[in-house]
Amino acid sequence: MDRQDPFTYKDIFRDGRLFSLLTALFLLAGAYVAEYFAGVYELAYSMRPTSTYVGDLLLDNLPVVDLNFIIIEGALFSIVLGTAFVFSKPRYVLFTLKALALFIATRALFVSLTHVGIYPGNIDPGVGIFDGIYTYLNFQSGFFFSGHTGLPFLIALIFWENRRARVTLLILSSVFAVAVLLAHIHYSIDVLAAPFMTYGIFKIAQYLFPRDYALIKRGEPARR
């Protein structure tokens, strides 16, 4: 049986952690604004004649498979469950919010830099309610790097000492990676680079927010 963590949400409002929480929310809001404008810019730039699709070793040889139920419904469902899981662990909240903000902002930067066209035959979102939510939240825009692959990997890194969470999230990241490739909505470099980009973001977050990460480490059971 897991031991009860004495750290609660009341502790977040003590010892100067309230300022850290407000900082995390501010960074997250700023990251979402950056992502929105990066998506708008990327969409406008993609209309230019120079933004053409390129060849891809995997996509050129893989069949196109409609896996929207994984890419859309699966992603939204995972976000809801993942959010509930993170917020059930108060000790992890501050660092996770800041690492997520850094992840979103970094991806927004890369999305805005290089623009290639959509690969022919890719599977677009449908017209259902979940497809509408997915499109409204701007989850379909941008290629490099894959958020479907990277985000579960980031949470896996944060909860690395929790074996069940780590294995579940790594499997989820792999499933999304395969799904977006088969649906041809990402180039192979977007997917294959995502874990490396995400690991770099995680290490930068550890460096920038050492107190928040130390809070996590203090709550982990000692290895035997």
Side-chain angles (χ1 to χ4, degrees), residues 43-201:
L43 180 61
Y45 207 105
S46 67
M47 302 299 178
R48 299 185 182 185
T50 54
S51 296
T52 58
Y53 78 92
V54 297
D56 184 285
L57 180 62
L58 292 183
L59 300 190
D60 289 346
N61 293 282
L62 287 173
V64 179
V65 182
D66 187 348
L67 293 174
N68 272 352
F69 70 97
I70 294 177
I71 297 168
I72 296 177
E73 284 84 355
L76 294 175
F77 187 65
S78 299
I79 290 172
V80 172
L81 287 183
T83 301
F85 175 70
V86 170
F87 279 95
S88 72
K89 311 286 185 183
R91 190 180 293 275
Y92 288 77
V93 168
L94 295 177
F95 181 79
T96 302
L97 290 178
K98 291 178 181 179
L100 177 60
L102 185 60
F103 178 91
I104 294 170
T106 302
R107 185 173 182 275
L109 173 63
F110 279 93
V111 164
S112 66
L113 291 177
T114 303
H115 307 274
V116 294
I118 298 173
Y119 195 87
N122 73 299
I123 303 297
D124 289 323
V127 294
I129 182 171
F130 292 112
D131 303 77
I133 294 172
Y134 180 86
T135 304
Y136 178 78
L137 293 175
N138 207 29
F139 287 164
Q140 186 77 352
S141 66
F143 290 117
F144 189 88
F145 48 98
S146 169
H148 279 82
T149 308
L151 186 53
F153 191 74
L154 175 65
I155 306 302
L157 291 172
I158 295 173
F159 286 88
W160 196 259
E161 299 301 326
N162 185 324
R163 185 177 182 276
R164 282 185 292 184
R166 179 179 76 239
V167 171
T168 300
L169 288 160
L170 290 178
I171 291 174
L172 186 63
S173 178
S174 301
V175 169
F176 280 140
V178 172
V180 297
L181 285 174
L182 288 176
H184 288 49
I185 65 171
H186 270 293
Y187 288 95
S188 57
I189 191 174
D190 308 332
V191 174
L192 296 178
F196 299 96
M197 295 294 298
T198 302
Y199 183 76
I201 291 168

